[in-house]
């Protein structure tokens, strides 16, 4: 049973338990407005020196360094620029790459929850192909979904989504 204290709230009588629950819910909702939640682990990686958006057209941004190669444009920017303009850059994106220093495949594997599909060694580099839940598009490799490729040499890493398109 609810003890009624005849508290009037917007013309209705509420019992004390309902009022307390209502206030608690309001506090929870209000507190979430002040907490920044990172929804995608890709954009919270450490050691990212630059990001490249691969597209079939040149982006019209002064903050991008653009390199044209055939029918593709490689648009380079900082991680902060990528975060701020992601919705704009995604419109024409065919792929994306991150260039990292002082990182490792193991750190990326844990952070991005990568399911490994294949590993190769090419000219002293390890090339990993796998799947991460943080990227929506993918390709098939030996009938398995792949949406991330990582080239690791010493402390330098190139990460491509779904593949590395600019070379290692």
């Amino acid at each position: 049973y609810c003890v009624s204290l005849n508290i009037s709230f917007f013309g209705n009588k509420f019992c004390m338990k309902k009022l307390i629950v209502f206030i608690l819910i309001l506090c929870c909702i209000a507190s979430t407005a002040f907490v920044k939640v990172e929804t995608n682990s890709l954009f919270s990686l450490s050691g990212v020196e630059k990001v490249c958006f691969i597209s079939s057209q040149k982006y019209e941004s002064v903050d991008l360094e653009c390199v044209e190669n055939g029918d593709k444009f490689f648009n380079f920017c900082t991680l902060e620029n990528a975060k701020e303009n992601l919705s704009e850059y995604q419109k024409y994106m065919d792929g994306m790459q991150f260039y990292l220093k002082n990182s490792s495949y193991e750190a990326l594997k844990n952070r991005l929850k990568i399911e490994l599909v294949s590993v190769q060694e090419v000219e002293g580099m390890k090339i990993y192909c796998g799947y991460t839940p943080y990227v929506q598009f993918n390709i098939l490799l030996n009938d398995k979904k792949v949406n991330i490729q990582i080239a690791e040499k010493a402390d330098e890493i190139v990460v491509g989504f779904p593949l590395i398109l600019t070379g290692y």
Side-chain angles (χ1 to χ4, degrees):
Y1 288 90
C2 183
V3 178
S4 179
L5 296 178
N6 292 330
I7 298 172
S8 181
F9 187 72
F10 293 110
N12 293 326
K13 291 182 180 181
F14 278 86
C15 67
M16 186 58 100
K17 286 183 183 178
K18 288 181 181 177
L19 181 62
I20 291 171
V21 169
F22 177 74
I23 291 171
L24 287 174
I25 291 171
L26 276 179
C27 289
C28 290
I29 291 171
S31 68
T32 60
F34 299 107
V35 178
K36 183 179 179 190
V37 178
E38 189 68 49
T39 58
N40 192 324
S41 287
L42 295 178
F43 292 95
S44 62
L45 293 175
S46 60
V48 176
E49 291 192 321
K50 62 183 171 181
V51 178
C52 178
F53 291 94
I54 298 100
S55 66
S56 53
Q57 73 183 81
K58 184 177 181 178
Y59 293 116
E60 299 299 325
S61 173
V62 293
D63 296 332
L64 291 171
E65 174 191 331
C66 184
V67 176
E68 185 177 357
N69 188 354
D71 64 344
K72 296 292 178 197
F73 292 90
F74 301 102
N75 303 280
F76 295 92
C77 64
T78 65
L79 181 61
E80 287 306 312
N81 182 308
K83 283 182 196 179
E84 291 171 11
N85 299 295
L86 183 61
S87 61
E88 181 66 30
Y89 296 158
Q90 280 182 323
K91 290 179 185 176
Y92 309 109
M93 185 174 72
D94 295 327
M96 181 173 56
Q97 292 178 191
F98 287 11
Y99 297 82
L100 294 89
K101 281 256 191 201
N102 303 320
S103 190
S104 69
Y105 167 74
E106 287 302 319
L108 289 172
K109 179 182 176 188
N110 294 333
R111 179 77 181 181
L112 299 178
K113 300 176 183 172
I114 297 171
E115 295 175 30
L116 189 61
V117 173
S118 72
V119 180
Q120 298 175 336
E121 190 156 334
V122 177
E123 298 179 16
M125 280 185 283
K126 286 237 178 169
I127 312 297
Y128 303 91
C129 290
Y131 180 84
T132 177
Y134 295 108
V135 177
Q136 291 144 1
F137 51 92
N138 59 69
I139 61 171
L140 290 178
L141 178 66
N142 298 330
D143 295 325
K144 294 183 181 177
K145 289 182 181 180
V146 171
N147 62 7
I148 186 169
Q149 185 178 40
I150 300 169
E152 178 182 40
K153 185 173 184 176
D155 68 341
E156 294 183 22
I157 293 181
V158 179
V159 183
F161 307 97
L163 297 173
I164 298 170
L165 300 174
T166 60
Y168 308 126

